[in-house]
Amino acid sequence: MFDIMAQTGDVPEPLRPDLPDDLTVVERTAVRLVVLDTGNNLLLFDTRDPTEPGLGTWWELPGGGLEPGEGVKEAAVRELFEETGLVVGPDQLGAPSWRRVASFRYRGERRLQHESVLVVRLDAPAPALDTSNRTGFEAEDYPGARWWPVADVVASSERFYPGRLPELLPALLAGEPVEEPFELWS
């Protein structure tokens, strides 16, 4: 079993769910970010997987995998900069209070991710994004971004990753811990 406690020091022992036997499984620890501006708008990426057109498009929280020896907060700062150009300090990051395990198809693999979701509060209204530091396939996978009013996300019937984002976002923003044991997203 993948030991994320040794890697991050602040993530609980992962759940290892039964997965579809469709693709090679790549297991990793990841961070997702609920990025809020001063107007309480949430940053979401317009997302697609060009290798899986049947999945369509969806709105996704920024984030990505932890690098070896990296903690959740360090990964959050790095991922946010790589994907958006936004620079944040540790004082702008909340605790990883939403824990989840998710599996999805991605570019010919099945990902199994042990995710921590952190709230990031910016000190500006809907800042412009600089996507020049994206790595790998991020430019293809995230063709756009949008700042959503939180109320619009909660009321939306759009497709999101995490899938239960509209339902769980209010509790997270109210400071409640959110335990979401497993989501088979695709």
Side-chain angles (χ1 to χ4, degrees), residues 17-88:
D18 290 328
L19 298 173
D21 188 19
D22 54 354
L23 301 166
T24 301
V25 175
V26 175
E27 189 170 9
R28 69 184 192 158
T29 303
V31 62
R32 292 282 166 190
L33 302 160
V34 171
V35 181
L36 297 169
D37 73 355
T38 55
N40 209 34
N41 296 300
L42 173 64
L43 176 63
L44 292 169
F45 291 142
D46 181 13
T47 309
R48 64 191 174 114
D49 180 345
T51 68
E52 294 268 0
L55 291 177
T57 61
W58 60 93
W59 294 98
E60 182 170 308
L61 293 175
L66 275 66
E67 293 180 354
E70 190 174 45
V72 169
K73 287 194 172 188
E74 292 88 359
V77 168
R78 178 185 50 77
E79 285 289 341
L80 188 61
F81 177 73
E82 285 177 3
E83 294 178 354
T84 68
L86 298 174
V87 177
V88 297

Side-chain angles (χ1 to χ4, degrees), residues 151-172:
D152 289 359
V153 173
V154 171
S156 180
S157 61
E158 295 269 350
R159 190 166 177 226
F160 295 93
Y161 182 86
R164 294 178 58 203
L165 180 65
E167 174 189 346
L168 299 175
L169 186 58
L172 179 71

Side-chain angles (χ1 to χ4, degrees), residues 69-180:
E70 190 174 45
V72 169
K73 287 194 172 188
E74 292 88 359
V77 168
R78 178 185 50 77
E79 285 289 341
L80 188 61
F81 177 73
E82 285 177 3
E83 294 178 354
T84 68
L86 298 174
V87 177
V88 297
D91 59 319
Q92 292 171 280
L93 298 172
S97 56
W98 179 357
R99 312 260 190 204
R100 64 190 309 271
V101 177
S103 181
F104 53 89
R105 296 188 319 262
Y106 178 70
R107 294 188 175 266
E109 301 173 335
R110 171 155 298 284
R111 292 285 172 98
L112 175 61
Q113 290 199 160
H114 307 279
E115 297 180 346
S116 294
V117 182
L118 288 78
V119 175
V120 180
R121 298 196 183 270
L122 303 178
D123 55 8
L129 305 181
D130 172 5
T131 60
S132 63
N133 293 307
R134 287 187 172 168
T135 61
F137 297 112
E138 290 171 344
E140 286 182 72
D141 296 350
Y142 308 139
R146 176 177 159 198
W147 290 95
W148 287 64
V150 167
D152 289 359
V153 173
V154 171
S156 180
S157 61
E158 295 269 350
R159 190 166 177 226
F160 295 93
Y161 182 86
R164 294 178 58 203
L165 180 65
E167 174 189 346
L168 299 175
L169 186 58
L172 179 71
L173 296 179
E176 298 173 25
V178 177
E179 293 290 335
E180 182 188 10

